[in-house]
Amino acid sequence: MTDIAAPTVVGKDRPDAKAAQLAKRYRAERRFRAYGIGAIILTAIFLALVLADILVKGIPAFSEHNLDLQITADQAELDPEKTGDPSVLLAGDYNGLIRDALRAEFPAVESRADRRLLNGLLSSGAADDFRRMVAADPSLVGQTVDVPVLLSDDADQYLKGYQTDRAVESGEGNLTVSVDGTTYKARSSGDDFAEAYAEVRAFLGKRLDALDSEVERLESSMAGLSADAATTLKGQIDALKTTAETLRTKLLDTTGSMELDTNLPSILVTVNGGTIKAATLDGAGIEGEAIIPPSTVGGASASEWSLVTLETPEADRRVGDKEVTWLEQLRAKGELQKAFATRFFTSGDSREPELAGLRGALFGSLLTLAVTLVLCLPIGVAAAIYLEEFAPKNRVTELIEININNLAAVPSIVFGLLGLAMFLNFFGLPRSAPLVGGLVLALLVLPTIIIASRAALRAVPPSIKEAALGVGASHQQAIFHHVLPLAMPGIMTGTIIGMAHALGETAPLLMIGMVAFIVDIPGGITDAATVLPVQIYLWSDLPEVAFQAKTAATIIVLLLVLFVMNFAAILLRRRFERRW
């Protein structure tokens, strides 16, 4: 009798090993999900930061400040012959009437230089609205009219809080004001000026530290420079050292008064309806000249005067102390109004930020996209239908398909070079025109539409076409009567996405000259025009601070248009999508 061997336990620990392996897989899956969620959150944070930055910078461009002036539409200045002809009214001296009304607000402004500064508060196009108002209603001639006058971009930026911070503190002690010729002296019984004196000294200390750091940086960079470059750099270093020594001397002198120049914060005293700008400052008071002379000279109680500090030095801002004082007086009178900047959407480009608008670029984009759509949609859909349903499957069609896929990945600037060589140089089409821009963007978008259309045609179940053929329809009838209508939602979605891609392109349009400064609104596809992305590029390169806000605001408009186009693509797909 053969002994039966006892069964051996194989894989005794296998259940535990399987459980450990399963737990390991679950942990790996949880880690993978956590990585994916983290990536999404990180992307959302970056996107939110970018959008928030654009919104913060761009929203101020949607508002503007106007000065409400009571202006008499003088017959002698606007229509001396009393013709009532709108063409005569349009040629009147509206700027002179506006300036006279503004000077009436500040009768103490007498010097020619101060009048020039006062007139600089107004935009160079301040008379445009007044001119259109009178031309539209000639009966206003001879009457006193309430006119909203547009301010300059510098004044507008100050009122929006971008030029300097303005700190206003009510006086703590009684103020004594005296005058000697044109020099005013103001002394306080409190510690008001001692605090201001300490703040100016602190500013001096920070500026001196910054100068010393800059000198050290420049001295460390002199090694390896040529003799000429080293000489030039040494001159800059010596100038900085001289400035630093002057500041150091001011800081070491703690006994006398401090002279305030344009490189230090401005100290102003408002008392008795006037404003005095400090030229010297000590712990007890100031001496300086009056920007607006006080109505009376003498004493003022603590509640009747204020100490104003403009923290940004006058040399570092585009609005001087006099202009700030005039603007604040107008604001106190309630004559400054903040309104929605409709001209941003109704005007063309301009060298003046407060007059610049995106209407020309918006119209140029619409005309360019219209040309692109008219060319791309029929050609792209026809090519997709032929390649997918009618073309023989051979090496020629395979080569065509490969080239179409490759063209979809070609950098956009290559299409711009092609448009420059063919449409401008060879065919002689007008430069910077929506016609040429549309042709170039059509070449760029066409491969995308063909690929999307072929994918939409392949997504239709073959049974649809087979059923149509089975009941006697021809191949052409089956495609155009049954397959194409069902594929149309996908085709339209791909087309809209392609148009959104074209709307955001800049490089190919720069190559065909659409970077030109265009003031007029284009009326047709052959007129000179620009587009929204190019307008953003142009404004971003300008030095004025107001154009930075215009740039961000145009980006907001462009993003809104893109969002609308993509939302339309989603709605079309959901509206016409069929499920089998």
Side-chain angles (χ1 to χ4, degrees):
M1 179 175 172
T2 305
D3 293 337
I4 299 176
T8 58
V9 178
V10 180
K12 181 178 180 180
D13 298 329
R14 182 173 297 175
D16 294 338
K18 287 183 177 179
Q21 186 178 8
L22 189 61
K24 182 179 180 181
R25 283 165 42 188
Y26 286 158
R27 287 196 299 271
E29 183 177 353
R30 285 194 295 269
R31 285 197 303 271
F32 181 77
R33 290 181 179 179
Y35 294 153
I37 294 173
I40 293 174
I41 293 175
L42 189 62
T43 303
I45 291 174
F46 285 141
L47 180 60
L49 290 176
V50 171
L51 291 178
D53 182 65
I54 293 173
L55 287 173
V56 169
K57 292 180 179 178
I59 287 179
F62 294 105
S63 62
E64 62 186 17
H65 282 88
N66 296 313
L67 171 61
D68 288 339
L69 286 178
Q70 294 289 328
I71 304 175
T72 301
D74 191 358
Q75 183 86 49
E77 297 291 340
L78 303 182
D79 188 9
E81 302 296 333
K82 300 182 180 181
T83 61
D85 187 358
S87 61
V88 176
L89 292 175
L90 289 173
D93 185 14
Y94 294 90
N95 281 315
L97 295 178
I98 292 176
R99 291 171 181 172
D100 291 341
L102 179 60
R103 289 169 186 167
E105 297 282 338
F106 302 96
V109 177
E110 297 178 350
S111 69
R112 187 173 183 179
D114 287 349
R115 286 187 175 183
R116 187 181 298 111
L117 287 177
L118 184 60
N119 293 332
L121 296 178
L122 304 179
S123 169
S124 60
D128 293 343
D129 294 334
F130 188 25
R131 181 180 290 107
R132 284 191 290 266
M133 183 188 304
V134 175
D137 186 6
S139 64
L140 296 177
V141 176
Q143 300 183 16
T144 300
V145 187
D146 187 9
V147 181
V149 180
L150 182 66
L151 296 181
S152 67
D153 63 302
D154 293 332
D156 182 69
Q157 289 294 303
Y158 166 75
L159 294 172
K160 290 177 180 177
Y162 292 105
Q163 293 280 345
T164 180
D165 291 330
R166 181 175 178 268
V168 181
E169 297 180 1
S170 298
E172 296 179 359
N174 296 326
L175 188 71
T176 302
V177 181
S178 60
V179 60
D180 182 10
T182 60
T183 301
Y184 284 77
K185 296 181 180 180
R187 293 290 183 267
S188 173
S189 61
D191 295 331
D192 307 271
F193 295 105
E195 295 176 2
Y197 185 78
E199 292 176 359
V200 173
R201 288 182 59 83
F203 181 88
L204 272 175
K206 293 179 181 178
R207 189 167 173 229
L208 180 59
D209 292 339
L211 284 175
D212 290 338
S213 300
E214 181 67 11
V215 169
E216 292 179 2
R217 185 187 69 83
L218 293 177
E219 287 179 342
S220 64
S221 63
M222 288 188 64
L225 295 178
S226 63
D228 293 340
T231 302
T232 302
L233 187 59
K234 180 137 187 345
Q236 297 177 2
I237 293 174
D238 292 341
L240 291 177
K241 286 182 176 180
T242 302
T243 304
E245 287 301 322
T246 303
L247 295 182
R248 192 170 286 108
T249 302
K250 285 186 177 182
L251 281 175
L252 293 176
D253 183 10
T254 59
T255 58
S257 62
M258 179 184 299
E259 293 185 1
L260 302 180
D261 54 24
T262 58
N263 294 311
L264 294 175
S266 298
I267 305 297
L268 308 175
V269 172
T270 59
V271 58
N272 297 333
T275 301
I276 303 170
K277 177 183 177 180
T280 60
L281 170 69
D282 56 35
I286 64 165
E287 291 186 12
E289 294 185 352
I291 298 176
I292 299 177
S295 58
T296 59
V297 176
S301 62
S303 60
E304 296 177 343
W305 69 282
S306 299
L307 185 64
V308 180
T309 303
L310 303 180
E311 299 180 5
T312 303
E314 191 174 16
D316 297 335
R317 46 187 160 90
R318 295 174 62 91
V319 176
D321 295 337
K322 292 182 178 181
E323 292 140 301
V324 168
T325 302
W326 295 330
L327 287 172
E328 290 299 332
Q329 182 165 336
L330 291 172
R331 175 154 38 193
K333 292 180 179 179
E335 296 179 1
L336 293 180
Q337 303 295 331
K338 188 176 182 180
F340 181 74
T342 55
R343 72 185 74 245
F344 181 63
F345 297 95
T346 59
S347 301
D349 199 3
S350 174
R351 297 297 185 191
E352 302 297 332
E354 72 276 7
L355 299 176
L358 52 76
R359 183 183 176 189
L362 190 59
F363 273 56
S365 293
L366 294 177
L367 292 173
T368 302
L369 287 182
V371 174
T372 304
L373 182 62
V374 168
L375 293 173
C376 279
L377 185 58
I379 296 176
V381 173
I385 293 174
Y386 175 76
L387 291 174
E388 192 65 28
E389 301 292 346
F390 294 98
K393 305 303 179 183
N394 52 35
R395 292 185 177 181
V396 175
T397 55
E398 289 180 0
L399 181 62
I400 294 174
E401 293 175 0
I402 292 173
N403 285 322
I404 290 174
N405 293 330
N406 289 337
L407 285 174
V410 170
S412 59
I413 195 170
V414 175
F415 293 97
L417 292 171
L418 178 62
L420 174 64
M422 293 296 297
F423 302 133
L424 295 183
N425 296 339
F426 185 76
F427 290 107
L429 296 178
R431 183 179 296 271
S432 188
L435 174 61
V436 181
L439 290 171
V440 172
L441 294 181
L443 296 176
L444 174 66
V445 175
L446 193 57
T448 303
I449 294 180
I450 293 175
I451 294 172
S453 299
R454 293 189 66 184
L457 291 171
R458 282 195 296 267
V460 178
S463 58
I464 300 294
K465 182 173 67 174
E466 293 171 358
L469 295 174
V471 296
S474 65
H475 190 194
Q476 180 179 350
Q477 289 175 331
I479 297 301
F480 285 96
H481 294 175
H482 300 279
V483 177
L484 183 59
L486 296 177
M488 192 54 66
I491 294 174
M492 295 304 299
T493 301
T495 302
I496 293 176
I497 293 175
M499 290 297 103
H501 177 204
L503 178 63
E505 281 295 337
T506 306
L509 301 181
L510 296 180
M511 298 304 300
I512 62 170
M514 295 192 80
V515 70
F517 175 71
I518 307 298
V519 178
D520 298 329
I521 310 300
I525 60 175
T526 58
D527 294 339
T530 187
V531 292
L532 288 175
V534 176
Q535 190 67 73
I536 293 171
Y537 169 77
L538 291 173
W539 283 348
S540 66
D541 198 39
L542 297 176
E544 287 86 350
V545 177
F547 273 121
Q548 298 178 13
K550 296 277 186 178
T551 301
T554 309
I555 293 175
I556 294 173
V557 174
L558 180 61
L559 289 176
L560 288 176
V561 175
L562 291 175
F563 288 157
V564 169
M565 295 180 70
N566 284 278
F567 184 67
I570 295 173
L571 289 182
L572 283 175
R573 175 169 288 279
R574 290 185 176 181
R575 173 67 177 82
F576 297 103
E577 188 175 18
R578 299 286 185 88
R579 297 184 180 274
W580 295 280

